Amino acid sequence: MYYGCSWFTMKIGFIGFGEVSYRLSKIFFENGFDVLTSVEGRSIKTRGFVNSIDYIELLSTFEEVAKESDILISANSPHSALGIALRYGSLTNGVYLDFNNISPDTSKQIANFLGDDHFVDSVIMGKVKSKELNIYLSGKLANKVESFIMDNLDSGVDSKINTVVISENIGDVSALKILRSSYTKGVSALLIETFESAKKLGLEDELWNILDLTENKPFRESATSRINNSYKSSKRKYEELEEVLEFLDSFSDKKEKLMSIATRDKFKYLKNRDFDN
């Protein structure tokens, strides 16, 4: 991988291509990077979606994507993260980033397999749908990856990429990612239960008005978005909370993580509900 060359167009490859990959790829493309992926083994729906995006270079296989990429990104699910890293991460001559909500232990397993010269612990903080992308990095190559991204940005576009290097330690960013995940999903679970109860009592609007007075505005807009997203993504959030608890198990006893256990159980319940009926 060649760092620090302003004329060199960096290739960003994506393994899998869901909503997160789409948002990331769009921002990277707008900032002048080449974007690669494949529809190998994808559903008809995903193939149609990816084929409709004119700025993406489609390759035949994900192995080709890995080999061609200067930075290879996995944004799939926590349960598939390790397998994808083991299968494709070693094929790239560049750097492998995992944006899934995985535990520090999983990050260290990936690093042990790929080596510090290929893997950087990474996370997106904040809303992926916004025009400002905040990427946090840790690992021995974190500073080089930060420089390479920032040195190749296009200052003339609306979308913006910010990078923050936490440390040289693999696992530090994953720990922050897991702790943030525990907090945000706990808040979401409490919001869901609170407003489901208020709705049963016929006091939903009144409760929104009261919380608008006591919480940071616009509370209703942000809380509604959080609730809707939790219903929609309950299966993925449940999987992420399994990672949270795996991490907490390494240094906490059961009584110290009662809220995280309850949040995990809440999302387990939500993922099995039929919200269309």
Side-chain angles (χ1 to χ4, degrees):
M1 186 174 184
Y2 189 87
Y3 292 101
C5 182
S6 60
W7 55 262
F8 180 76
T9 302
M10 183 164 61
K11 295 181 179 181
I12 308 287
F14 289 88
I15 304 297
F17 207 86
E19 183 178 350
V20 172
S21 294
Y22 167 66
R23 300 290 177 181
L24 285 171
S25 69
K26 187 175 181 182
I27 291 177
F28 276 121
F29 174 75
E30 289 174 351
N31 277 277
F33 300 103
D34 288 341
V35 178
L36 317 175
T37 193
S38 174
V39 292
E40 178 189 16
R42 302 294 99 177
S43 66
I44 294 176
K45 181 179 179 181
T46 299
R47 286 172 179 266
F49 171 62
V50 177
N51 283 323
S52 69
I53 304 171
D54 57 10
Y55 61 79
I56 292 179
E57 181 181 350
L58 280 178
L59 303 183
S60 298
T61 67
F62 285 117
E63 287 188 2
E64 292 180 48
V65 173
K67 292 175 181 178
E68 290 288 326
S69 299
D70 298 299
I71 292 182
L72 184 63
I73 294 174
S74 171
N76 295 274
S77 72
H79 284 181
S80 62
L82 182 58
I84 288 174
L86 298 184
R87 184 173 180 181
Y88 299 110
S90 61
L91 297 177
T92 182
N93 291 319
V95 177
Y96 184 79
L97 305 182
D98 189 300
F99 283 137
N100 302 292
N101 276 359
I102 56 176
S103 68
D105 182 61
T106 302
S107 290
K108 290 173 183 177
Q109 288 183 61
I110 295 174
N112 287 337
F113 181 80
L114 299 182
D116 291 341
D117 56 339
H118 278 295
F119 179 64
V120 173
D121 198 5
S122 54
V123 66
I124 301 167
M125 292 293 188
K127 293 183 178 180
V128 178
K129 291 183 179 181
S130 70
K131 288 188 175 182
E132 189 164 340
L133 188 66
N134 298 298
I135 300 176
Y136 283 64
L137 307 163
S138 69
K140 291 183 178 179
L141 284 182
N143 283 304
K144 288 186 177 180
V145 171
E146 179 188 43
S147 296
F148 199 37
I149 291 175
M150 300 308 290
D151 289 348
N152 285 276
L153 294 182
D154 184 348
S155 59
V157 299
D158 291 335
S159 59
K160 185 178 180 183
I161 300 175
N162 303 311
T163 56
V164 178
V165 174
I166 297 299
S167 72
E168 292 189 353
N169 302 319
I170 296 293
D172 281 358
V173 161
S174 290
L176 290 170
K177 178 167 42 178
I178 285 292
L179 293 172
R180 176 185 177 274
S181 180
S182 176
Y183 165 76
T184 58
K185 290 173 180 61
V187 172
S188 297
L190 185 58
L191 279 170
I192 287 170
E193 287 197 355
T194 299
F195 280 95
E196 284 183 346
S197 296
K199 187 174 182 180
K200 290 177 181 178
L201 296 170
L203 297 172
E204 193 173 9
D205 287 337
E206 288 78 7
L207 182 58
W208 281 124
N209 292 335
I210 289 171
L211 290 174
D212 267 334
L213 292 173
T214 60
E215 304 296 323
N216 293 327
K217 293 184 178 182
F219 179 78
R220 181 166 185 163
E221 180 181 346
S222 61
T224 300
S225 175
R226 185 187 291 271
I227 290 171
N228 291 337
N229 179 261
S230 295
Y231 282 134
K232 179 182 177 181
S233 308
S234 54
K235 182 177 183 296
R236 176 175 57 80
K237 292 181 183 297
Y238 167 72
E239 293 177 357
E240 292 171 354
L241 283 158
E242 291 275 75
E243 292 281 330
V244 169
L245 287 171
E246 179 184 331
F247 170 54
L248 296 178
D249 283 343
S250 65
F251 60 87
S252 301
D253 61 35
K254 187 173 183 180
K255 290 183 179 179
E256 292 177 313
K257 52 181 183 289
L258 290 175
M259 291 297 293
S260 296
I261 293 171
T263 303
R264 186 272 314 273
D265 292 345
K266 180 66 177 182
F267 277 97
K268 182 178 181 180
Y269 165 72
L270 290 174
K271 78 182 181 69
N272 293 322
R273 284 177 60 181
D274 182 1
F275 294 108
D276 294 328
N277 296 314

